Amino acid sequence: MATADLHLHTTYSDGRFTPSELVDAAARAGLRAIAITDHDHTGGLAEAREHARRYRLEILTGVEINTVWQDRELHVLGYGFDETLDWWDAFMREQRAGRARRMERFLERLADHGIALTMEDVARHADGGALGRPHLAQALVAARVVSSEQQAFDQFLSSQAPTYVPRDGISPAEAVQTIRRAGGVASLAHPKGLPLDEGPLFDELLEAGLGGLEVVHPSQPPALREYYRSLAESRGLLCTGGTDDHGPKEGQPSRIGSDGVPYAVVEALKSRSVAGSRGKESR
Ligand code: AMP
Ligand code: FE
Ligand code: FE
Ligand code: ZN
């Protein structure tokens, strides 16, 4: 049975639920454990842990780190690390500074196309969380440049759009090493479309200490999941997964509870990370 969802976003990045609301939704869905994996932010953990005390719901430390590999954006998930290490916050802040720089460049490109938006117009939708393209999409809707966030992505924000700005940042191998240095397990997020069976990417990640592969993800149909499962097992990697829920938006309900992984995956992640030895992960 799927009792754990290990890929979830809150208002600390581009999700619609606050950590408390997400915890409520997870408890309603009957989940036993969740990991909040906000983009380049671990600030939501404290609130989630506090709020989860009223339920039998375990919160595993998590994060989704944005990285760049050969001009492509690649996401690395981290689990069970020690976010209280003195350097961790500085690392997260540097990641978010990269997001702010990218956002400035997006605004310049949009200005070239006659669309005038300010950082404040975008930041208003982020509410202090990690700035991302979804917030710019919301600002474009609010300014009536487009009529939906999807249209904003299709016309301006997707990698095919003329106004697209690639992210510059750390490599996925560096993200894997950083998560390991903090005592965690790193898993490659939604690998669909990445060249894992050819070229150097997979070997680079394994060399850096990759510990998992995100097998269960809404973008990956059953056959692809089976492929990733066998690939993971052949390399001794854990099969992680979750709904990548960003909360209810544009008429779509939250996905939380619709998919996930067995609790045994959480136990394996804990046994391979400091979360297992600290013992403070379980509520
Ligand atoms: P960023 O972190 O700024 O690169 O934004 C990436 C986020 O934008 C993803 O995590 C999704 O939440 C969202 N996203 C990416 N591509 C699309 C798309 N084509 N349509 C809608 N949302 C998208
Ligand atoms: Fe996102
Ligand atoms: Fe992602
Ligand atoms: Zn995500």
Side-chain angles (χ1 to χ4, degrees), residues 94 96-106 119 168:
E94 183 45 45
R96 294 199 291 278
R99 291 177 162 272
R101 289 192 293 270
R102 182 193 193 189
M103 193 59 72
E104 300 276 10
R105 302 226 309 281
F106 257 117
M119 273 300 258
D168 60 14

Side-chain angles (χ1 to χ4, degrees), residues 9 14 39 246:
H9 295 272
D14 52 3
H39 301 287
H246 286 71

Side-chain angles (χ1 to χ4, degrees), residues 11-278:
T11 46
Y12 279 78
S13 63
D14 52 3
R16 297 311 210 265
F17 282 142
T18 64
S20 297
E21 288 166 344
L22 183 72
V23 162
D24 288 337
R28 267 200 308 275
L31 294 172
R32 179 167 170 193
I34 59 170
I36 293 177
T37 53
D38 275 315
H39 301 287
D40 299 323
H41 213 315
T42 45
L45 260 167
E47 180 187 325
R49 284 221 177 86
E50 177 57 33
H51 198 74
R53 288 154 72 102
R54 71 198 65 200
Y55 303 114
R56 286 176 59 86
L57 177 70
E58 183 174 339
I59 312 285
L60 180 69
T61 309
V63 70
E64 184 172 21
I65 296 176
N66 282 55
T67 74
V68 181
W69 189 79
Q70 294 190 356
D71 291 335
R72 308 170 69 143
E73 210 170 295
L74 216 133
H75 296 175
V76 175
L77 295 158
Y79 296 110
F81 52 90
D82 183 359
E83 85 287 359
T84 67
L85 288 168
D86 55 4
W87 53 268
W88 181 263
D89 251 3
F91 168 56
M92 289 282 95
R93 271 199 302 275
E94 183 45 45
Q95 285 289 107
R96 294 199 291 278
R99 291 177 162 272
R101 289 192 293 270
R102 182 193 193 189
M103 193 59 72
E104 300 276 10
R105 302 226 309 281
F106 257 117
L107 294 178
E108 286 165 16
R109 294 258 174 109
L110 286 169
D112 293 341
H113 282 68
I115 299 162
L117 285 176
T118 65
M119 273 300 258
E120 288 70 42
D121 293 329
V122 182
R124 189 139 38 90
H125 298 278
D127 200 22
L131 269 184
R133 283 179 286 160
H135 303 119
L136 180 50
Q138 289 169 54
L140 286 162
V141 172
R144 298 179 185 280
V145 175
V146 291
S147 54
S148 71
E149 291 168 39
Q150 193 54 59
Q151 193 190 346
F153 268 93
D154 295 345
Q155 256 178 274
F156 300 110
L157 309 182
S158 76
S159 57
Q160 286 81 36
T163 45
Y164 179 74
V165 177
R167 173 85 184 254
D168 60 14
I170 62 172
S171 72
E174 285 174 296
V176 169
Q177 285 159 353
T178 304
I179 289 163
R180 291 196 72 209
R181 196 149 58 86
V185 176
S187 180
L188 181 62
H190 39 71
K192 184 185 174 185
L194 295 176
L196 284 192
D197 37 16
E198 60 190 70
L201 174 62
F202 201 32
D203 285 339
E204 278 176 28
L205 295 174
L206 291 169
E207 179 109 342
L210 188 73
L213 203 55
E214 191 174 49
V215 171
V216 174
H217 187 272
S219 67
Q220 293 165 184
L224 201 54
R225 293 180 185 193
E226 275 325 300
Y227 167 68
Y228 288 134
R229 189 172 295 282
S230 58
L231 190 62
E233 280 164 3
S234 74
R235 306 300 186 112
L237 302 178
L238 295 175
C239 298
T240 70
T243 58
D244 202 356
D245 182 52
H246 286 71
K249 71 168 180 182
E250 299 197 313
Q252 300 281 92
S254 160
R255 289 198 286 250
I256 193 165
S258 64
D259 209 346
V261 294
Y263 183 74
V265 178
V266 176
E267 288 180 316
L269 286 167
K270 286 199 290 188
S271 77
R272 296 181 191 195
S273 68
V274 294
S277 54
R278 282 195 303 168

